[in-house]
Amino acid sequence: QVQLVESGGGLVQAGGSLRLSCAASGSIRLNTMGWHRQAPGKQRELVAGISIRGTTNYADFVKGRFTISRDNAKNAVYLQMNFLEPEDTAVYYCAAGLGSVITWGKGTLVTVSA
């Protein structure tokens, strides 16, 4: 099981951009990867996913604003977030899926000010 470490979170003004990175301790070549988020008082929700072949899917609330990508050579997954809104404030978690097993990172906090 790989270990995942997220980075790139921080404080940004509404309309700004951030790029989150997820570094894996080993190969993610066979893993479906995803970014999820959890806002205060809310359940964790899927933001974006990317298959082993690079097919992507997005939650409706980020379509056109966020882009997920992966670099298997670097064992990394990224989330480019543009046009951020205060409602995007949350802890963002990287996840690696292999069969029924999901591995989570510890998360990185994104705060978007109005």
Side-chain angles (χ1 to χ4, degrees), residues 1-7 21-29 31 33 35 70-78 94-96 103-105:
Q1 238 177 353
V2 296
Q3 292 182 328
L4 305 173
V5 178
E6 302 94 336
S7 61
S21 298
C22 172
S25 60
S27 175
I28 59 168
R29 185 171 55 87
N31 294 85
M33 303 298 296
W35 286 96
R70 65 190 296 161
D71 187 338
N72 290 340
K74 295 183 178 179
N75 298 329
V77 179
Y78 308 99
C94 180
T103 301
W104 296 92

Side-chain angles (χ1 to χ4, degrees), residues 26-44:
S27 175
I28 59 168
R29 185 171 55 87
L30 299 180
N31 294 85
T32 296
M33 303 298 296
W35 286 96
H36 293 68
R37 72 185 188 186
Q38 186 165 17
K42 295 187 177 181
Q43 290 188 332
R44 192 173 299 191

Side-chain angles (χ1 to χ4, degrees), residues 17-65:
S17 299
L18 282 175
R19 187 189 192 218
L20 304 184
S21 298
C22 172
S25 60
S27 175
I28 59 168
R29 185 171 55 87
L30 299 180
N31 294 85
T32 296
M33 303 298 296
W35 286 96
H36 293 68
R37 72 185 188 186
Q38 186 165 17
K42 295 187 177 181
Q43 290 188 332
R44 192 173 299 191
E45 58 187 358
L46 174 68
V47 174
I50 185 165
S51 73
I52 59 176
R53 290 196 173 104
T55 302
T56 59
N57 64 284
Y58 298 93
D60 286 344
F61 53 77
V62 302
K63 282 183 179 177
R65 299 189 299 127

Side-chain angles (χ1 to χ4, degrees), residues 89-113:
T89 294
V91 177
Y92 284 72
Y93 297 91
C94 180
L98 184 63
S100 61
V101 178
I102 299 176
T103 301
W104 296 92
K106 292 184 178 181
T108 185
L109 177 62
V110 172
T111 303
V112 184
S113 62

